[in-house]
Structures are given as structure tokens and as C-alpha cells.
Amino acid sequence: MALLAVGMGSGWIGIRYPEVVENEPLNAPVGIKSISAGSLKLADGRAYKLDPYWPDEDWFKQCVPGTQVEIEEVGGGEVTVWANRPGWICGTPWAEPIRIPLIRDVVYRNRREILTFAIPAADGGPPPSE
């Protein structure tokens, strides 16, 4: 028992192991119909003009019709566009040379991440709230 305690304290022996969970962090995901020239059209008919000063251009370049986002009202007619970003799992906490899998660590792979701000477009945005 003492040898196990010394091994765990030195980082040579570990008793925890990761269990990666493929999760959906978006509360109300909606499919993307198209993205072009600073505009976003959703599968449910809503349309938005994207903030030209705060886009995540790399992610939008990867988007294809069918990718899902979530729209949240911020106030003043502005909304935030959130996406499900797949993450990578770093194995550093579980990198012991000897691992005895006794305690499971649940690790959620996907993360909810803000992409940009937007305003409803005149050609299909939701009616303004009063």
C-alpha cells in the first residue's frame, strides 16, 4: 500500500482514467442554410447580418449547410451566434506510465463557443421584440 501511495505521489502510478463524452452543448440548435458576404441564413427562415469587426472567419469558412448554431438575444436588437466547437482532449492529467483504471473522469468533448454578434436582416429576421 505504501508503494502504491509513493507511486501515485510521484506521478508514476495513476488510478484515474478519462471517459470522453460526445455532448451537444447548444440548448436550441438551428441548422445553417447559407453563409455569404457577412450574412447568415438559418434553416428556419431567419436571416442575420454578421458583425464585420468580430467574426471567427476560420470557423465560418468551415461551415457548410447543415451545420448548427444557436442564436441568443442580447438586447437592443443584437444577437449572439453560438456554435458547437469540437475540442481535443489533452491526456496530460492521465499520462502516468502505470495506470490502474479505478476512478472515471468524465470529459465533455464539445464546447459551446460564441462566434460573432449579429443583427436581424430585413429579409427574414425575426420581428423586433417590444
Side-chain angles (χ1 to χ4, degrees):
M1 196 58 124
L3 187 59
L4 181 63
V6 169
M8 287 174 56
S10 66
W12 281 91
I13 299 174
I15 60 171
R16 302 180 85 84
Y17 68 97
E19 180 180 320
V20 179
V21 175
E22 294 291 334
N23 61 319
E24 172 58 76
L26 301 178
N27 298 318
V30 179
I32 295 175
K33 187 174 182 181
S34 67
I35 300 173
S36 62
S39 68
L40 170 68
K41 291 194 179 200
L42 301 178
D44 64 2
R46 294 182 287 173
Y48 296 92
K49 286 185 163 185
L50 303 176
D51 184 343
Y53 301 107
W54 204 69
D56 185 340
E57 292 181 21
D58 292 333
W59 190 87
F60 278 116
K61 287 177 186 175
Q62 296 173 16
C63 284
V64 294
T67 300
Q68 294 190 333
V69 294
E70 183 174 7
I71 306 295
E72 271 188 12
E73 291 186 29
V74 176
E78 194 171 52
V79 298
T80 53
V81 180
W82 295 82
N84 175 354
R85 280 287 184 101
W88 52 278
I89 306 301
C90 179
T92 305
W94 306 282
E96 300 90 4
I98 300 170
R99 183 179 309 143
I100 304 167
L102 296 176
I103 301 172
R104 177 181 60 173
D105 288 333
V106 176
V107 181
Y108 296 101
R109 184 174 189 277
N110 300 308
R111 292 155 180 85
R112 183 176 186 253
E113 186 173 320
I114 189 167
L115 295 177
T116 188
F117 290 95
I119 57 172
D123 62 343
S129 57
E130 297 176 359

